């Protein structure tokens, strides 16, 4: 099922980007190690490629997150991003590759509070540089993931997500903000 000496999920950081992958690929789990995608350049199944940046929004600077995810088949099932299947790295997909892109929903100016705000749909969230909401590039109004500091304490966060993001993809997106301040 898994190798106890290795992590099940990995996150590799380099120059404001994160690659998220699994130790064992769903397509290659029953293949010999030489034929599995892990044997190809040391990569396993890729789950997400996250890019962080800072954007100017009026007089403020905000953290942004852009994530490339494996896409969906017409039946709604997820593409397993496996190098053995002829797919490149999620960091550099071809225009014909089945990918889904999600990105940060930018905060809007709240005249009453005189600050930039995100609406967390009834969640009690305190202002924090690590708070974010993600939406698909095709529907900027539909939030598929949100992460925020709760008003209950200084170290308690909420993480909500929905399809097409998986629990591992949402958790990796939240964890990738560890250096935001």
């Amino acid at each position: 099922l898994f190798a106890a000496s290795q992590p099940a999920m990995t996150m590799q950081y380099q120059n404001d980007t994160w690659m998220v992958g699994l130790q064992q690929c769903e397509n290659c789990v029953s293949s010999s190690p030489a034929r599995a995608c892990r044997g190809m350049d040391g990569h396993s199944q890729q789950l997400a490629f996250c890019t962080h940046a800072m954007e100017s929004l009026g007089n403020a600077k905000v953290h942004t997150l852009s994530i490339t995810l494996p896409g969906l088949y017409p039946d709604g099932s997820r593409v397993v991003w496996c190098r053995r299947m002829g797919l490149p790295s999620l960091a550099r997909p071809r225009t014909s590759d089945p990918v889904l892109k999600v990105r940060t929903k930018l905060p809007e100016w709240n005249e009453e509070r005189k600050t930039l705000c995100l609406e967390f749909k009834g969640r009690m969230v305190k202002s924090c540089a690590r708070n974010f909401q993600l939406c698909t590039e095709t529907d900027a109004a539909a939030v598929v993931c949100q992460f925020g500091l709760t008003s209950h304490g200084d170290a308690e966060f909420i993480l909500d997500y929905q399809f097409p993001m998986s629990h591992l993809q949402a958790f990796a997106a939240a964890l990738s903000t560890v250096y935001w301040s």
Side-chain angles (χ1 to χ4, degrees):
L1 181 60
F2 67 94
S5 63
Q6 298 175 348
M9 181 183 94
T10 60
M11 292 180 64
Q12 298 169 331
Y13 175 78
Q14 182 178 11
N15 300 328
D16 291 328
T17 64
W18 293 84
M19 179 62 76
V20 182
L22 294 178
Q23 172 196 358
Q24 259 186 335
C25 171
E26 295 172 53
N27 283 340
C28 299
V29 70
S30 58
S31 298
S32 69
R35 296 184 54 93
C37 61
R38 185 160 181 81
M40 301 175 72
D41 303 328
H43 290 89
S44 58
Q45 178 181 339
Q46 295 178 1
L47 296 179
F49 180 73
C50 308
T51 304
H52 294 251
M54 291 290 284
E55 283 188 31
S56 294
L57 193 57
N59 293 334
K61 294 232 183 242
V62 294
H63 290 280
T64 62
L65 182 57
S66 178
I67 306 177
T68 303
L69 304 169
L72 303 172
Y73 290 115
D75 67 359
S77 62
R78 290 184 175 87
V79 171
V80 175
W81 204 269
C82 171
R83 303 274 304 246
R84 186 127 176 90
M85 305 297 287
L87 295 167
S89 170
L90 271 175
R92 293 175 297 287
R94 300 171 296 233
T95 54
S96 61
D97 288 331
V99 295
L100 178 66
K101 299 203 179 220
V102 295
R103 60 176 294 110
T104 303
K105 180 178 181 177
L106 295 175
E108 295 178 357
W109 183 257
N110 181 311
E111 190 60 42
E112 183 180 311
R113 294 183 179 175
K114 305 284 187 216
T115 188
L116 293 169
C117 293
L118 283 172
E119 172 56 50
F120 276 82
K121 309 288 185 213
R123 291 284 202 171
M124 300 301 287
V125 175
K126 286 199 299 192
S127 179
C128 177
R130 294 176 63 192
N131 293 355
F132 68 79
Q133 291 180 328
L134 299 173
C135 50
T136 64
E137 283 190 338
T138 56
D139 188 357
V143 174
V144 296
C145 180
Q146 63 183 16
F147 179 69
L149 179 66
T150 68
S151 58
H152 303 298
D154 290 334
E156 186 176 320
F157 289 83
I158 57 107
L159 176 62
D160 299 318
Y161 66 94
Q162 65 181 1
F163 185 82
M165 289 192 77
S166 73
H167 59 287
L168 287 177
Q169 291 165 333
F171 180 69
L175 193 58
S176 77
T177 67
V178 72
Y179 298 118
W180 287 6
S181 58

